[in-house]
Amino acid sequence: MTEQLPPDPSDDPLRDELLAVALEAARRAGALLRDGRPADLGVAATKSSPIDVVTEMDIAAEKLITDHLAKHRPHDGLLGEEGADAEGTSGIRWVVDPLDGTVNYLYGLPTWAVSIAAERDGEALVGVVEIPTRGETFHAVRGRGAWLGERRLRVRPAPPLDQALVATGFNYVTTVRAHQAEVAHRLLPLVRDIRRSGSAAVDLADVAAGRLDGYYERGLRPWDRAAGALIAREAGALTGGRPGGPASDDLTVAGVPGVFESLQTLLEDFGAWHD
């Protein structure tokens, strides 16, 4: 479980700067992806060409973000889904997913996002999740709460587990997905229902907004979860991985207090952290 760290007033100017940079980068990348998607992009054309277009948009969005970060924070490190990786010398590292929900984007489904986080010593200081098709911008600064635009967010009160709405995601590797389906099959009778949106960043933001009671997924990378997990925590959610451990590539769990603990225990029992 990730503990909520107290705010450090001496960091306020730095956090303000990081937030401003992240918000602008996410806004610009979101607009590029929204406005640059070809109207006739679809999966029925050929096997490769629609995917190539999406890949081009993904890379273009990451380049826009990395160029923006290099201009405003040239000494920071960077870790991006599309291969950007730089150490930096400032102690700040940006963790970027320029297009979380690629398959949704390919199919013209609205659930995709730009996810940008700034970390120091492995702890997220700032997180932004931009969802252009909803016209929503989520952001959080560690110690200052989570926000959707100008509205401060708070997770839902904890329901009984059998009334909890939980989201998850599935890997694209067949063997991994098969075990994930088995875990979902065992979990489904114990909760209100399970949702699968196709974007981890959106799901984590929706936990923060009170639209979900819990979320879990195996196989998330740092860029998938960094911004959304901070937003969820700052709204009052708990996040972690296996019991007693942090969120990791093996397992990420988020939920309102009361649901989180039960969900984490069940996922451990079901072996959700392995194939």
Side-chain angles (χ1 to χ4, degrees):
M1 184 174 65
T2 302
E3 294 182 356
Q4 180 66 53
L5 298 179
D8 180 354
S10 67
D11 269 352
D12 281 350
L14 171 63
R15 298 184 196 202
D16 289 340
E17 179 184 354
L18 297 176
L19 177 61
V21 170
L23 285 169
E24 179 62 15
R27 184 193 67 78
R28 293 177 59 193
L32 172 70
L33 291 164
R34 181 193 62 220
D35 300 339
R37 183 185 184 278
D40 59 350
L41 178 62
V43 295
T46 68
K47 185 173 182 180
S48 61
S49 85
I51 294 172
D52 289 343
V53 171
V54 173
T55 300
E56 288 174 8
M57 293 301 296
D58 211 333
I59 292 171
E62 180 160 300
K63 185 176 188 306
L64 184 155
I65 294 168
T66 56
D67 286 351
H68 184 80
L69 297 177
K71 177 181 178 181
H72 294 279
R73 299 280 309 177
H75 303 296
D76 293 350
L78 179 67
L79 178 65
E81 184 187 24
E82 294 304 317
D85 192 357
E87 287 291 330
T89 58
S90 68
I92 299 296
R93 182 178 77 159
W94 295 90
V95 184
V96 174
D97 191 339
L99 176 53
D100 186 55
T102 306
V103 173
N104 286 345
Y105 185 81
L106 171 63
Y107 274 78
L109 294 170
T111 308
W112 53 270
V114 179
S115 175
I116 301 176
E119 296 181 340
R120 183 174 58 198
D121 300 326
E123 292 284 349
L125 294 178
V126 165
V128 173
V129 172
E130 175 84 8
I131 311 175
T133 55
R134 290 187 187 174
E136 293 183 340
T137 303
F138 291 82
H139 76 269
V141 176
R142 195 173 76 192
R144 296 190 196 167
W147 302 80
L148 172 51
E150 300 299 316
R151 178 169 67 91
R152 186 158 187 167
L153 298 177
R154 193 68 192 169
V155 296
R156 293 167 54 89
L161 185 64
D162 63 2
Q163 296 178 30
L165 184 63
V166 175
T168 192
F170 298 104
N171 200 285
Y172 293 111
V173 176
T174 302
T175 54
V176 178
R177 192 165 58 215
H179 182 63
Q180 290 174 318
E182 180 184 340
V183 171
H185 176 74
R186 296 180 67 182
L187 181 63
L188 184 57
L190 305 178
V191 297
R192 180 190 293 275
D193 208 347
I194 293 178
R195 297 286 184 265
R196 193 272 199 266
S197 78
S199 168
V202 173
D203 285 340
L204 287 162
D206 280 344
V207 170
R211 297 166 178 166
L212 293 167
D213 300 303
Y215 165 76
Y216 74 95
E217 188 163 349
R218 168 163 167 69
L220 294 186
R221 303 304 304 277
W223 48 78
D224 296 313
R225 62 181 184 262
L230 175 65
I231 293 166
R233 286 195 301 276
E234 286 293 325
L238 300 175
T239 68
R242 297 183 65 186
S248 70
D249 293 3
D250 288 335
L251 185 65
T252 297
V253 186
V256 303
V259 170
F260 172 85
E261 298 88 345
S262 298
L263 182 60
Q264 190 181 51
T265 298
L266 286 171
L267 293 171
E268 178 71 11
D269 291 345
F270 297 162
W273 47 274
H274 65 76
D275 302 339

